[in-house]
Amino acid sequence: MTFDRKIEDAGLTRGVSRLTPQRIEDTLRQVLEGETGAKLKLYAETCMRCGMCSEACHYYMSHDGDPSYSPAGKVHQTMGEILRKDCKVTPEFVYQMAQIAYTECNLCRRCVHYCPLGIDTGYIMSTVRRMCHKLGVTPQYIQDTAHSHAATMNQMWLKDDEWMDTLQWQEDEARDEMPNLRIPLDKEGAEIYYSVIAPEPKFRTQLIYQAAFIMNEAGVDFTMPTSPGWDNSDMCMFSGDFEMMGRLKKIHFESALDLKVKKIVMGECGHAFRSIYDQGNRWDGWDMYPIEVVHSVEFFWELFEAGKIKLREKFHEPITIHDPCNIIRGRGLMEQSRKLAHALCDNVVEMHPNLEHNYCCAAGGGVINCGPPFKNVRMKGNRIKAEQLKATGVKTILAPCHNCHGGLEDLVHYYELGMDIKFFGDLIYDLMEKPEVE
Amino acid sequence: MNSIYAFVVGPLAWIAWGVFIFGSLYKVVSMYQLAKAKDGSSLHYMSFKYGMRSILHWLNPVGTLGWQSNPYTALVTFVFHLCLVIVPLFLMGHVVLWDQFFGITWPTLPDTIADIMSIVFVACCVYFGLRRFLQRDVRFLTTGKDWIALAIPALTFLFGVLAYHQIGNDKVMLVLHILCGEIMLISIPFSRLSHMLFGFFTRAYMGSEFGGVRHSKDW
Amino acid sequence: MLKRVFTIAAVAACVFLYMIPAFCQDEISFLKDPAFVHPTRPAAVFAHDEHNEKAGIEDCAACHHVWEDGKLVEGESSEDEKCSSCHQIKPESGKTGLRNAYHKLCSNCHIEEDKGPVTCAGCHPNGGAAPSGH
């Protein structure tokens, strides 16, 4: 097995340079014996190597059937090798397994639909990442976000005053359009706690603006928190720093509980939903979550159904809709997202395959967060998505997830598809009835 | 030769069945203990309803994305497993032995049908073998363990067919057939073949997560 | 060892096959029991006189036994009766059925003596006697 696609990354290189064979063995064994159990054992033992999962993976499909990109192929080269060699692997191997686990698998779980035995490749790759994290071999960019989480409890090194300032700035901006608009901060007992991921205040502030506008117009009793915990994002879940993942979810839920709100509504993000709903909550020992969390797609649809959002006009151009793994395969919001899309648009063109079977954006699972060194991994590794998008023949894509947004944007540029990508929030804000301003 | 035959249908059969039954029990119980100790955050979400939902969908050879994308392999997999379960249980030659040793009998398959099913089974094994060898992604994944998992049932059925058709020495073929069958029993708890014990659980777990937590389908 | 067994068996089989036509009609050459209405296998090849000569069986009761109250009756034999007159196709519980009676009688002895066929095909070869009852 030769690995001929090594990519230089400062984090991986530095991490590997500090490894000794003994440390590798001890750490891997500690993770295997201390943190994994029957699940991993059974997956390793009962995978019949049938290769049926190959076609599930966008990387495999985009690399003309290169077997080293198939889901089982990636497990074979990482966890499989560790188990076969009984944890006695070289630092060079650790580099390779880190590169595969962090950048060549989006943990999208599309392969679940292909495996007769129900083997969760995403779980295995997460466990490999966990090992890499414990070995200190993580890509530099994603580790930077994890450091930010640890230092500031948000992903983007935002200082507390910068966050509050951004909210007030957006409130100020929006008042040009709606003079009475408010973004209530830390309002105790509000109906809804609106939470976003830190990239929103950092470089997608219009999303906060739009959400505030929509909620004000719909008369929603909401608040946004100013203290740490406001950021629901979680790169630590993807870097393998599960202790930090637990701290992040805990502080997030606690900040909502402190404000005695009824429920949390989160922006159009996928991975944060996974962290709250599927992984982070479990680390903290919660069955689901201590306070209900509603994704924007669901929330917007509720507002629509209740007649709280009125449209000036519908979106007339044909538009296609992308299904983000974490809210579709991870939460089953395909029905709501379709209803919402059809409520907003005249002509929704489905891409194929769609719903649970949709191809991944190749950005999620922390892959886009591994930064520029690995951008081409995502681009070359997701030709299939570009082809799928192109085949719809439309010029606009709806993608209710930040990672998907970023990933699709890159793909659209790389493959020169000339398509526009929108959040539901973008569309609603554009199309809704707005009050006249003198 | 008769004494070898007597040995493989006698003491060795007891050993094989003993290892199979107690080994399987041990494996299942110890896995459950391990899951309770280490996988609480998964075990907690096990749901009978969604587990069954998933199992039933996957029992439909055209009911899942995986089967649909691999129609030939799906077909061969289903035929393979049906033959693997039905022929040994309902073959007259086997029921005769149960009758002879324990005085219990049950309805049997006509020999011709059992014969056809066994030959089809061997053909399925050939398909799997060729696939392992020729299909790039499968070959990439294949290890010695996978060949063993394929060879054991393949040889068992092959020798069975040869013995039935009286190709080669009947005693040698039958003894080899029984030996391979016993190796298969013994290896079920300790090899890839353990998916016989655990496959439905891993499937049900995935079904529970996707049905109960993620509200989406896993097929 | 296997090779030698194989060779011997092959030679024996040839000789045996060669001899089949030599058996005359009135001699028993197959165990065709009409009690089996729908036999699934060809009747077992069994040349009565030759078998007993080769096996050195002189006591008829070795096979044609008599049981009473679950005990073998010494000194009595039953060669004038059909096996099926005691061994029923569907036996009462605790009694030996007809199929088992044949199988056990033959194979137990063959195993004990380490001689003669024990496999399915060993007694019921393809192209053996046509199933009885037809």
Side-chain angles (χ1 to χ4, degrees):
Chain A
M1 229 168 0
T2 50
F3 189 69
D4 53 6
R5 48 177 188 263
K6 184 174 169 180
I7 291 172
E8 271 312 318
D9 177 88
L12 296 180
T13 306
R14 194 175 339 99
V16 163
S17 73
R18 291 188 293 236
L19 295 178
T20 62
Q22 193 57 44
R23 182 171 166 212
I24 296 174
E25 195 184 331
D26 291 346
T27 309
L28 297 187
R29 215 178 286 288
Q30 188 267 324
V31 174
L32 277 183
E33 283 164 15
E35 301 186 19
T36 73
K39 210 156 103 171
L40 185 71
K41 263 207 169 72
L42 288 182
Y43 290 161
E45 201 172 297
T46 61
C47 170
M48 294 306 287
R49 318 296 159 113
C50 68
M52 267 175 53
C53 57
S54 303
E55 282 173 40
C57 187
H58 45 285
Y59 285 102
Y60 177 85
M61 296 302 281
S62 305
H63 284 282
D64 303 315
D66 180 338
S68 64
Y69 284 103
S70 83
K74 284 177 271 193
V75 172
H76 186 68
Q77 295 168 88
T78 55
M79 187 62 88
E81 189 74 358
I82 291 169
L83 296 175
R84 283 192 296 278
K85 294 243 170 95
D86 191 27
C87 301
K88 294 182 180 68
V89 293
T90 61
E92 199 43 40
F93 172 83
V94 173
Y95 194 109
Q96 171 188 330
M97 83 175 193
Q99 189 176 326
I100 292 173
Y102 283 113
T103 74
E104 294 173 7
C105 173
N106 298 92
L107 312 177
C108 77
R109 293 200 173 111
R110 187 168 190 264
C111 36
V112 160
H113 301 290
Y114 285 76
C115 178
L117 289 163
I119 291 171
D120 186 351
T121 310
Y123 165 76
I124 303 174
M125 296 318 275
S126 282
T127 309
V128 174
R129 290 183 181 194
R130 173 71 171 159
M131 290 168 162
C132 293
H133 159 74
K134 291 210 138 192
L135 287 166
V137 181
T138 49
Q140 185 183 33
Y141 277 80
I142 194 172
Q143 188 54 51
D144 179 69
T145 61
H147 284 327
S148 169
H149 274 306
T152 66
M153 289 291 161
N154 72 69
Q155 195 199 125
M156 291 275 131
W157 296 106
L158 249 76
K159 297 186 186 105
D160 290 352
D161 61 331
E162 288 172 346
W163 161 242
M164 209 188 311
D165 194 46
T166 306
L167 294 178
Q168 286 176 348
W169 164 44
Q170 288 310 305
E171 181 183 67
D172 213 31
E173 289 273 308
R175 281 183 174 188
D176 278 353
E177 261 194 297
M178 189 190 281
N180 298 327
L181 182 140
R182 279 206 65 209
I183 299 181
L185 302 181
D186 297 327
K187 180 183 166 192
E188 249 191 54
E191 189 79 24
I192 278 160
Y193 169 110
Y194 188 67
S195 83
V196 298
I197 61 170
E200 288 201 17
K202 195 79 176 180
F203 46 73
R204 288 201 206 271
T205 41
Q206 86 280 6
L207 292 178
I208 296 174
Y209 177 118
Q210 289 167 0
F213 193 95
I214 294 167
M215 284 193 280
N216 271 273
E217 180 62 23
V220 176
D221 173 23
F222 79 108
T223 183
M224 292 185 79
T226 57
S227 52
W230 56 267
D231 174 17
N232 56 26
S233 76
D234 185 356
M235 277 305 125
C236 297
M237 166 176 72
F238 288 145
S239 77
D241 187 352
F242 296 158
E243 289 81 1
M244 221 17 247
M245 166 179 80
R247 281 180 65 201
L248 289 170
K249 289 311 106 171
K250 209 167 160 131
I251 194 169
H252 177 59
F253 284 129
E254 274 174 1
S255 83
L257 290 167
D258 281 349
L259 289 176
K260 302 180 178 65
V261 295
K262 301 263 166 38
K263 59 185 171 189
I264 299 173
V265 169
M266 52 180 294
E268 291 177 62
C269 179
H271 92 275
F273 198 74
R274 181 192 192 115
S275 170
I276 281 165
Y277 188 74
D278 204 322
Q279 279 185 260
N281 57 331
R282 294 190 191 189
W283 183 272
D284 285 332
W286 284 309
D287 174 30
M288 278 294 150
Y289 27 53
I291 174 167
E292 198 192 344
V293 184
V294 180
H295 190 268
S296 270
V297 168
E298 207 176 346
F299 175 65
F300 287 148
W301 173 243
E302 280 168 13
L303 291 183
F304 249 96
E305 250 189 331
K308 289 182 179 163
I309 300 177
K310 294 199 175 53
L311 295 187
R312 191 167 29 83
E313 58 170 344
K314 283 177 94 171
F315 190 79
H316 303 302
E317 299 286 306
I319 190 167
T320 188
I321 179 161
H322 169 75
D323 295 285
C325 65
N326 286 320
I327 63 165
I328 303 298
R329 205 172 293 123
R331 176 62 178 85
L333 292 183
M334 47 274 177
E335 202 188 317
Q336 287 91 331
S337 78
R338 290 306 182 285
K339 282 180 181 162
L340 192 55
H342 285 277
L344 290 166
C345 311
D346 280 333
N347 189 0
V348 180
V349 180
E350 290 291 340
M351 56 176 86
H352 293 285
N354 60 355
L355 309 175
E356 285 104 329
H357 297 164
N358 203 335
Y359 278 117
C360 172
C361 63
V367 176
I368 195 170
N369 308 75
C370 292
F374 301 100
K375 186 181 171 191
N376 277 334
V377 175
R378 288 189 287 124
M379 297 300 102
K380 296 202 171 93
N382 211 5
R383 195 186 66 215
I384 188 84
K385 185 83 210 178
E387 286 165 3
Q388 185 197 23
L389 292 173
K390 200 172 179 183
T392 62
V394 308
K395 291 282 159 226
T396 318
I397 309 164
L398 247 173
C401 164
H402 288 96
N403 274 328
C404 295
H405 224 81
L408 296 182
E409 224 158 51
D410 288 343
L411 282 175
V412 164
H413 290 150
Y414 187 86
Y415 290 99
E416 296 172 355
L417 301 177
M419 297 169 97
D420 213 21
I421 302 149
K422 289 191 182 299
F423 288 103
F424 274 116
D426 293 329
L427 273 186
I428 296 174
Y429 171 76
D430 282 348
L431 301 169
M432 70 195 289
E433 273 182 9
K434 289 172 192 155
E436 288 294 316
V437 183
E438 289 138 35
Chain B
M1 201 66 195
N2 285 6
S3 51
I4 301 177
Y5 168 81
F7 177 67
V8 294
V9 294
L12 205 57
W14 279 103
I15 293 173
W17 280 97
V19 172
F20 165 57
I21 292 168
F22 291 106
S24 299
L25 274 175
Y26 165 76
K27 275 290 227 181
V28 170
V29 170
S30 65
M31 274 300 167
Y32 179 60
Q33 298 292 356
L34 185 61
K36 271 206 298 193
K38 292 285 182 188
D39 300 297
S41 65
S42 301
L43 207 56
H44 174 75
Y45 297 88
M46 283 298 264
S47 135
F48 182 78
K49 176 180 153 197
Y50 291 114
M52 282 309 288
R53 185 179 83 154
S54 174
I55 289 171
L56 290 176
H57 272 96
W58 280 90
L59 285 177
N60 173 1
V62 291
T64 70
L65 188 58
W67 295 139
Q68 285 160 7
S69 313
N70 301 273
Y72 296 110
T73 302
L75 178 74
V76 174
T77 304
F78 273 83
V79 170
F80 173 93
H81 284 95
L82 279 175
C83 294
L84 179 60
V85 174
I86 291 174
V87 175
L89 282 180
F90 299 105
L91 184 82
M92 222 232 336
H94 291 179
V95 176
V96 160
L97 287 179
W98 286 101
D99 191 10
Q100 203 172 318
F101 286 101
F102 301 104
I104 44 173
T105 86
W106 54 87
T108 57
L109 282 174
D111 274 353
T112 322
I113 294 191
D115 183 36
I116 293 169
M117 287 176 83
S118 306
I119 293 170
V120 166
F121 182 89
V122 175
C124 292
C125 293
V126 172
Y127 171 87
F128 285 138
L130 287 175
R131 202 168 166 272
R132 265 206 192 298
F133 197 70
L134 299 175
Q135 196 171 314
R136 211 152 63 113
D137 54 328
V138 185
R139 187 170 57 195
F140 184 80
L141 299 170
T142 299
T143 60
K145 279 180 156 187
D146 306 297
W147 283 113
I148 291 171
L150 180 60
I152 293 173
L155 288 176
T156 307
F157 274 70
L158 179 67
F159 288 129
V161 169
L162 292 179
Y164 177 75
H165 287 274
Q166 294 150 48
I167 300 168
N169 181 291
D170 63 316
K171 282 184 193 169
V172 175
M173 290 306 144
L174 194 71
V175 166
L176 287 173
H177 165 71
I178 297 168
L179 262 180
C180 288
E182 285 164 350
I183 292 172
M184 177 151 73
L185 283 177
I186 290 171
S187 60
I188 284 172
F190 307 107
S191 74
R192 289 252 191 279
L193 301 183
S194 62
H195 73 278
M196 170 187 153
L197 307 172
F198 297 116
F200 287 100
F201 289 104
T202 48
R203 176 82 269 147
Y205 167 63
M206 202 36 107
S208 306
E209 288 276 15
F210 271 70
V213 179
R214 296 172 191 149
H215 306 295
S216 81
K217 55 188 193 186
D218 63 328
W219 54 86
Chain C
M1 151 72 184
L2 266 184
K3 200 176 166 188
R4 216 171 62 200
V5 170
F6 187 83
T7 322
I8 295 168
V11 171
C14 289
V15 171
F16 190 72
L17 282 172
Y18 177 70
M19 303 254 318
I20 288 179
F23 302 144
C24 50
Q25 269 297 290
D26 27 341
E27 277 193 74
I28 297 169
S29 51
F30 296 102
L31 293 175
K32 262 193 208 176
D33 194 321
F36 291 118
V37 185
H38 298 293
T40 20
R41 284 284 182 122
V45 173
F46 182 71
H48 182 272
D49 295 353
E50 195 200 351
H51 174 265
N52 296 348
E53 197 179 313
K54 261 209 306 209
I57 299 172
E58 276 163 22
D59 180 9
C60 299
C63 298
H64 300 278
H65 52 218
V66 176
W67 286 65
E68 247 165 46
D69 302 328
K71 276 186 199 132
L72 189 68
V73 183
E74 292 286 340
E76 276 193 46
S77 64
S78 57
E79 62 270 26
D80 48 350
E81 281 191 68
K82 287 196 170 303
C83 304
S84 55
S85 60
C86 295
H87 297 289
Q88 278 141 17
I89 295 269
K90 284 194 177 136
E92 297 162 35
S93 72
K95 297 225 169 127
T96 309
L98 187 59
R99 185 174 70 186
N100 263 347
Y102 279 115
H103 284 153
K104 282 187 173 171
L105 192 68
C106 298
S107 65
N108 285 357
C109 186
H110 288 178
I111 285 168
E112 220 166 275
E113 300 294 327
D114 206 3
K115 279 184 193 124
V118 285
T119 68
C120 307
C123 298
H124 306 275
N126 286 346
S132 63
H134 284 272

